[in-house]
């Protein structure tokens, strides 16, 4: 330790005073060095980093990185939250994949059918007769789609027993859209035929109207199509059946070899549209 500076001795020469001053200065420098040596590495690092010396370009880059990170985090979270199949079981995922494969096969079949019709027209010796046959067949198909003729074939019946009165029009519309996506060719709800321009609405007294006509409970869907596609489409995780059951409705899906859709729509003649061949 360094003591207090000594008093100059009486009668000391100027050379002695100068030497004494140098000793005192050297002692102060040693004290400063001892103080710096006693600082820990963490303290020295803190003194070097604070206050921060940030340039303007560094600040701009930091802000851009922050915005980019927030955007990526929001995107990842949104993808995770919007995935309806995130918690699905493996067997459910396999069934959904099979359904997509079936839809692809149906589209391929329709494409092949149209190509066969074109080939038949091109190769037929009596193209007029072949065209007439295809026109009659097309008319029959369009009549089924428009609801002007009855139809029968394999399919399912979907019965929704809504004793609590909690089933709304949008839930039944979801069922129609899911059935159409699964390949339904004709649909009837109670005694109302479902066509391309069918609309559903809720009633003030509770219940649902289909094309302006109130349908009673239970809601009974008669659907013509491939049962192996229609039934799984309704039972996918988070799909129609689960949604209705959450509303405490009882849902029953039954396959059948023969479904008869006999509710008809009157054919309407357009007011302004005419065939371009006329």
């Amino acid at each position: 330790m360094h003591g207090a500076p000594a008093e100059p001795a009486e009668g000391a020469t100027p050379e002695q005073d100068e030497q004494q001053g140098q000793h005192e200065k050297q002692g102060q420098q040693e004290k400063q060095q001892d103080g710096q040596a006693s600082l820990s590495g963490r303290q020295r690092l803190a003194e070097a980093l604070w206050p921060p010396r940030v340039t303007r370009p560094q600040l701009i880059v930091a802000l851009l990185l922050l915005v980019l990170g927030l955007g990526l985090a929001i995107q990842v979270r949104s993808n995770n939250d919007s995935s309806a199949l995130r918690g699905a079981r493996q067997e459910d995922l396999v069934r959904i994949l099979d359904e997509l494969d079936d839809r692809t096969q149906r589209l391929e079949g329709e494409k092949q059918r149209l190509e066969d019709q074109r080939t038949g027209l091109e190769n037929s010796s009596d193209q007029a007769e072949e065209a007439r046959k295809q026109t009659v067949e097309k008319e029959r198909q369009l009549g089924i789609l428009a609801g002007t003729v009855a139809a029968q074939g394999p399919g399912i019946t979907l019965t929704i027993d809504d004793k609590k009165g909690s089933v709304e029009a949008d839930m039944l519309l979801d069922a129609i859209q899911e059935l159409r996506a699964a390949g339904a060719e004709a649909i009837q709800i109670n005694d109302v035929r479902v066509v391309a321009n069918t609309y559903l609405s809720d009633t003030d007294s509770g219940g649902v109207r289909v094309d302006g006509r109130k349908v009673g409970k239970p809601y009974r869907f008669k659907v013509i199509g491939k049962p192996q596609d229609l039934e799984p489409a309704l039972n996918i995780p988070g799909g129609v059946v689960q949604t209705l059951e959450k509303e405490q409705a009882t849902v029953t899906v039954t396959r059948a070899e023969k479904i008869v859709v006999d509710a008809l729509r009157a054919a309407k003649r357009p007011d302004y549209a005419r065939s371009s061949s006329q």
Side-chain angles (χ1 to χ4, degrees):
M1 295 180 61
H2 300 280
E7 296 292 335
E10 294 182 1
T13 64
E15 291 80 2
Q16 292 175 340
D17 293 338
E18 185 178 356
Q19 290 178 357
Q20 184 175 358
Q22 291 178 352
H23 286 307
E24 292 176 356
K25 186 176 180 180
Q26 184 177 2
Q28 292 176 357
Q29 291 177 350
E30 291 177 355
K31 285 182 178 182
Q32 292 178 356
Q33 292 176 356
D34 292 342
Q36 291 179 353
S38 63
L39 291 176
S40 66
R42 183 178 297 178
Q43 290 172 330
R44 289 198 300 273
L45 179 61
E47 288 183 356
L49 295 177
W50 190 263
R53 301 175 183 84
V54 181
T55 64
R56 185 175 180 181
Q58 290 174 337
L59 181 59
I60 294 174
V61 171
L63 290 175
L64 291 176
L65 290 175
L66 176 62
V67 172
L68 179 61
L70 288 175
L72 290 174
I74 293 173
Q75 181 68 25
V76 170
R77 182 174 181 181
S78 132
N79 290 338
N80 289 338
D81 292 343
S82 62
S83 177
L85 303 177
R86 206 168 129 214
R89 298 174 300 176
Q90 182 177 0
E91 53 267 29
D92 293 329
L93 294 175
V94 171
R95 185 173 58 187
I96 294 170
L97 182 60
D98 291 340
E99 181 183 348
L100 293 175
D101 290 340
D102 290 339
R103 292 182 186 179
T104 302
Q105 292 177 5
R106 287 198 304 271
L107 292 175
E108 290 291 341
E110 179 67 14
K111 176 185 174 184
Q112 185 62 44
R113 186 181 64 80
L114 293 175
E115 289 178 349
D116 291 342
Q117 287 182 357
R118 183 186 64 182
T119 303
L121 284 172
E122 293 174 348
N123 298 334
S124 175
S125 58
D126 188 352
Q127 294 186 356
E129 179 62 20
E130 182 67 22
R132 188 192 68 81
K133 291 180 179 180
Q134 292 189 13
T135 300
V136 171
E137 177 63 19
K138 193 67 175 178
E139 181 182 6
R140 185 187 67 82
Q141 295 174 359
L142 292 177
I144 293 175
L145 295 176
T148 58
V149 298
Q152 66 179 19
I156 64 168
T157 57
L158 167 66
T159 304
I160 303 172
D161 193 0
D162 180 29
K163 293 182 180 179
K164 299 289 184 180
S166 55
V167 174
E168 299 179 349
D170 60 336
M171 300 177 188
L172 299 185
L173 180 60
D174 288 342
I176 293 174
Q177 292 175 336
E178 196 65 49
L179 289 168
R180 282 175 171 168
E185 297 176 353
I187 303 176
Q188 176 177 327
I189 303 178
N190 290 11
D191 56 350
V192 181
R193 185 72 167 265
V194 176
V195 294
N197 60 349
T198 291
Y199 67 93
L200 290 86
S201 60
D202 296 314
T203 64
D204 296 335
S205 58
V208 176
R209 293 183 183 274
V210 180
D211 290 335
R213 296 173 58 183
K214 186 172 181 179
V215 293
K217 305 172 186 177
Y219 307 113
R220 187 182 301 276
F221 288 64
K222 294 196 291 183
V223 188
I224 295 177
K226 187 177 180 181
Q228 295 84 348
D229 294 338
L230 299 175
E231 183 180 5
L234 298 174
N235 287 298
I236 62 174
V240 173
V241 172
Q242 286 190 2
T243 300
L244 292 170
E245 288 178 344
K246 287 180 181 178
E247 299 297 330
Q248 299 182 351
T250 303
V251 183
T252 305
V253 181
T254 306
R255 299 186 185 188
E257 291 296 326
K258 181 179 179 181
I259 297 290
V260 178
V261 174
D262 51 6
L264 301 181
R265 291 293 189 103
K268 292 184 179 180
R269 181 180 179 86
D271 294 328
Y272 304 102
R274 295 292 182 270
S275 172
S276 59
S277 61
Q278 292 180 358

